[in-house]
Amino acid sequence: DLSNMIEEIGESIDGFVSNENENICKDGTRFWIKWRNQFLKNDSGEVAEMLSVGIDITERKQAEEDLQRSKALLRKVLDTVPNYICAKDLDGRFLLVNNELAAFYGTTVDKMTGVLHADMCEDEEELKAMLVADHEVIESGKPQLIPEESMKNPDGSVTYLETIKVPFAIFGDPAVLIMSRDITERKELEEERNKAAKLESIGLLAGGIAHDFNNILTAILGNVSLANILADEDLKKTKAILVEAEKSILSARDLTGQLLTFSKGGEPIKKTIILSDMIKEVTEFSLRGSNVKCWYDIAENLWPCKVDEGQIDQTIRNLVINADQAMSDGGIITVLAGNVTVGPEDSLPLAEGRYVKLTIKDQGLGIPEKHLSKIFDPYFTTKQKGSGIGLATCYSIVKRHDGLIAVESERDIGTTFHTYLPASSELVEAKAERKAYVSEITGKILIMDDEPALVEVVSKILEQIGCVAEAASDGAEAVRLYKKAMKSGQPFNAVILDLTVPGGMGGQETIKKLLEIDPEVKAIVSSGYSNDPVLANFREYGFSSVVTKPYRIDELQEVLQGVMQGKGG
């Protein structure tokens, strides 16, 4: 019936209508036909006939069904893989999203598809960086692996991801496919392992410190006890014993200095020098009495470096002694020094620029590969001789100089240490001549320190060298005494300020107050901590010089003499 056919196809009397239907042949074969239908009217204007033209679209329908199956399969794969997967265009619009990522954002695939990432990310800086990174991948045409990145969760927690970004095209338009794997659990396990390793290192460090300090304290206590017994009987023996006690105390000072260097302390007090002479002097001094010979190759035009002379001296000495101890049967230590430029093509964890490279190579047994990662840990050592603190000190010193120390070793061939120190464009500073000592220094000195025993001994030292000493327990008292002395017409010639006063005004705040009272104040900063930048840059804070605890009489005398003569430290 034509009227039923019109109703089935859809009425469009004035034009053409089309429809598709599936047909079955006698042999059971299925095929699709797309019909183009035109209704023909009679003279009365009624539809009397229909003209239909059919086109076989079986292949197209099959392709559409295959495409739908592919989409379904892709969706199943995307939603089965326990990774975050998405595709974005150049504007950051999500073209493809899997259930895992949609669930992370607390939404569905349908709601997330077609949405701009900007509408889902509150951190503008993070979004900007993400878009730039996506554009770089698309423009380079190369996949990019990001071993670790963090993503902030809606609840505020952080998820760590390993991500790969692949450039591709959707319908001819550039896009980036992003696949991320959650590595949060792995990272947490790594952190736990690192904590365990650090605790092991701390235990090793604590044991080593206790051992070394107990030996030193035994020597000090024994010598002081003997001096106490012999003081009234034999002054010559007493003096000799006190000299030995002083040597032990200086050993303790060296040990604390090394400890501070690879702890948070050890702030370098830098000056610009050429390392050539230091390298030879320190090496030859360190090898006195050794059966090891040394071969040098030091560039004549070595670039200057801005370094802490004492710390770099210590680094070279430790590396040379380490090489010496590695060759108990003798051998040759090779010492090389030259200029190198680090560029982007170099696989070194250093900023690009100019460096002085120092290489020290021994002919020892070498370091087992399993130990190479631990040799810079404090108190870790595989040698019979040595405490295991030297290389840890070297590592920290070089790191604080923005340099690099690296090691390579081959069994039965030897070990090589490479040290990189940044070159300086500044002029080399003139070497200061040692100041001549005088038997006494006349002056009025103010001491500010919260430790009564230290104040007492420093006061006695000052009196011994000819000075008059007054003491303050904190900065507030020091300021009051300084004002009082100025008003009396008998001002202090210099002040010694302890940098750290628990619960009170320390040296840094005190010097500000004193400079307001007297812009010409001659102040010496003193501290047992070497990690404070005030010590390394004392002039910037208004101090004239610095003396680090513990110090000997001659060291304090030299600093005071320089300050009182207006030369500073």
Side-chain angles (χ1 to χ4, degrees):
D1 181 70
L2 189 57
S3 61
N4 291 336
M5 190 176 294
I6 292 171
E7 185 178 345
E8 182 181 341
I9 294 174
E11 189 173 357
S12 181
I13 304 300
D14 297 326
F16 293 92
V17 293
S18 61
N19 70 306
E20 299 172 359
N21 60 18
E22 186 180 20
N23 302 275
I24 303 175
C25 299
K26 290 182 180 180
D27 61 0
T29 305
R30 295 176 178 272
F31 64 97
W32 281 85
I33 294 178
K34 180 175 182 178
W35 296 99
R36 180 181 174 87
N37 308 298
Q38 183 178 11
F39 298 105
L40 304 175
K41 300 177 182 178
N42 56 24
D43 296 338
S44 302
E46 297 175 342
V47 176
E49 296 177 307
M50 181 178 71
L51 177 64
S52 296
V53 177
I55 302 172
D56 189 337
I57 59 168
T58 305
E59 288 186 6
R60 194 199 78 188
K61 295 296 285 187
Q62 184 64 47
E64 288 177 356
E65 289 177 4
D66 290 344
L67 179 60
Q68 289 299 323
R69 282 195 293 270
S70 296
K71 286 182 177 180
L73 179 61
L74 175 61
R75 172 53 54 192
K76 187 174 181 180
V77 170
L78 289 176
D79 293 338
T80 302
V81 176
N83 294 340
Y84 302 118
I85 302 175
C86 70
K88 292 189 291 183
D89 63 16
L90 289 171
D91 296 324
R93 190 183 310 278
F94 289 105
L95 305 175
L96 179 71
V97 180
N98 73 337
N99 275 334
E100 195 83 9
L101 184 61
F104 175 85
Y105 281 104
T107 184
T108 64
V109 170
D110 291 338
K111 289 182 180 179
M112 194 167 169
T113 304
V115 175
L116 287 169
H117 201 159
D119 296 334
M120 308 185 71
C121 182
E122 296 180 359
D123 191 329
E124 291 185 7
E125 289 298 321
E126 180 183 342
L127 178 67
K128 185 178 179 181
M130 204 179 298
L131 285 173
V132 169
D134 291 348
H135 279 231
E136 287 176 354
V137 172
I138 294 170
E139 289 170 7
S140 69
K142 297 178 181 178
Q144 180 186 37
L145 175 65
I146 305 170
E148 183 182 309
E149 63 177 348
S150 60
M151 184 165 62
K152 195 172 182 180
N153 301 332
D155 62 1
S157 61
V158 176
T159 296
Y160 291 93
L161 303 171
E162 181 183 60
T163 300
I164 184 167
K165 296 184 176 184
V166 182
F168 79 127
I170 296 181
F171 305 121
D173 295 324
V176 59
L177 178 66
I178 303 169
M179 295 168 282
S180 299
R181 183 161 60 98
D182 191 336
I183 59 169
T184 305
E185 186 176 347
R186 186 186 77 186
K187 185 171 177 63
E188 288 173 352
L189 287 173
E190 287 176 356
E191 288 177 353
E192 288 300 318
R193 283 196 293 268
N194 288 337
K195 285 179 185 177
K198 286 178 181 178
L199 286 172
E200 183 182 349
S201 294
I202 290 170
L204 191 63
L205 173 62
I209 293 171
H211 174 270
D212 287 356
F213 265 115
N214 279 336
N215 285 342
I216 293 169
L217 290 172
T218 299
I220 294 170
L221 186 59
N223 280 309
V224 170
S225 298
L226 279 173
N228 191 38
I229 293 171
L230 297 173
D232 296 329
E233 300 175 9
D234 192 329
L235 289 178
K236 189 174 181 180
K237 283 185 179 180
T238 301
K239 184 176 180 180
I241 290 168
L242 289 174
V243 167
E244 291 303 314
E246 185 181 47
K247 288 179 182 178
S248 297
I249 292 168
L250 291 174
S251 296
R253 182 174 71 173
D254 290 342
L255 179 58
T256 56
Q258 293 193 70
L259 292 173
L260 283 169
T261 299
F262 63 73
S263 71
K264 291 183 179 179
E267 188 73 22
I269 302 174
K270 299 178 180 179
K271 64 180 295 186
T272 305
I273 63 169
I274 302 291
L275 294 175
S276 309
D277 293 339
M278 177 189 286
I279 293 170
K280 286 189 176 181
E281 288 174 9
V282 173
T283 301
E284 289 170 6
F285 182 82
S286 302
L287 294 177
R288 284 183 183 176
S290 171
N291 60 348
V292 168
K293 294 183 180 179
C294 195
W295 183 80
Y296 298 97
D297 185 4
I298 300 174
E300 293 183 2
N301 62 336
L302 209 62
W303 290 330
C305 294
K306 193 169 186 178
V307 298
D308 183 310
E309 286 186 280
Q311 290 188 5
I312 298 304
D313 178 299
Q314 190 178 27
T315 299
I316 298 170
R317 183 168 67 252
N318 287 342
L319 290 174
V320 171
I321 291 173
N322 185 75
D324 180 30
Q325 292 176 347
M327 299 185 291
S328 55
D329 296 329
I332 297 175
I333 295 176
T334 302
V335 179
L336 311 172
N339 303 322
V340 296
T341 301
V342 174
E345 71 281 357
D346 296 301
S347 57
L348 292 171
L350 285 170
E352 295 178 24
R354 304 189 312 153
Y355 292 83
V356 171
K357 180 181 179 183
L358 171 64
T359 299
I360 296 177
K361 182 179 181 181
D362 65 50
Q363 297 176 327
L365 295 175
I367 302 170
E369 187 175 352
K370 64 179 181 179
H371 292 151
L372 276 176
S373 62
K374 295 183 177 180
I375 61 169
F376 294 116
D377 289 354
Y379 283 99
F380 177 85
T381 182
T382 58
K383 298 178 298 197
Q384 293 294 323
K385 296 169 67 178
S387 65
I389 198 172
L391 291 179
T393 304
C394 294
Y395 179 86
S396 290
I397 288 173
V398 174
K399 186 177 179 182
R400 282 189 175 82
H401 281 78
D402 299 318
L404 171 70
I405 183 166
V407 60
E408 54 184 339
S409 187
E410 191 173 347
R411 202 67 179 157
D412 298 323
I413 299 295
T415 301
T416 304
F417 285 91
H418 302 287
T419 303
Y420 296 79
L421 293 170
S424 173
S425 57
E426 297 181 11
L427 295 175
V428 176
E429 298 179 31
K431 198 167 184 178
E433 296 182 7
R434 189 171 180 83
K435 300 177 180 69
Y437 292 114
V438 293
S439 58
E440 288 191 351
I441 301 174
T442 304
K444 186 179 176 183
I445 312 298
L446 174 61
I447 310 160
M448 187 275 281
D449 202 293
D450 65 309
E451 182 58 52
L454 190 144
V455 169
E456 184 177 353
V457 72
V458 174
S459 296
K460 289 179 180 177
I461 289 173
L462 291 171
E463 290 168 5
Q464 181 66 32
I465 62 177
C467 295
V468 175
E470 285 191 42
S473 59
D474 65 11
E477 187 180 1
V479 171
R480 182 178 60 79
L481 290 175
Y482 198 90
K483 283 181 179 178
K484 182 180 177 182
M486 286 191 73
K487 287 180 180 179
S488 69
Q490 296 179 323
F492 290 103
N493 298 98
V495 295
I496 302 172
L497 301 177
D498 184 21
L499 194 56
T500 307
V501 178
M505 187 191 295
Q508 187 174 345
E509 191 176 349
T510 304
I511 187 62
K512 293 178 183 177
K513 303 286 186 184
L514 293 179
L515 286 167
E516 291 173 5
I517 301 167
D518 179 11
E520 302 299 321
V521 61
K522 295 176 179 178
I524 300 166
V525 60
S526 177
S527 179
Y529 297 100
S530 58
N531 61 328
D532 200 299
V534 175
L535 297 181
N537 309 286
F538 59 89
R539 293 189 189 280
E540 295 177 13
Y541 293 87
F543 292 99
S544 301
S545 191
V546 59
V547 61
T548 306
K549 299 175 185 176
Y551 44 79
R552 293 170 23 160
I553 294 178
D554 58 340
E555 292 171 338
L556 179 59
Q557 184 181 9
E558 180 181 8
V559 172
L560 271 172
Q561 183 176 329
V563 168
M564 292 168 71
Q565 291 177 354
K567 298 178 182 179

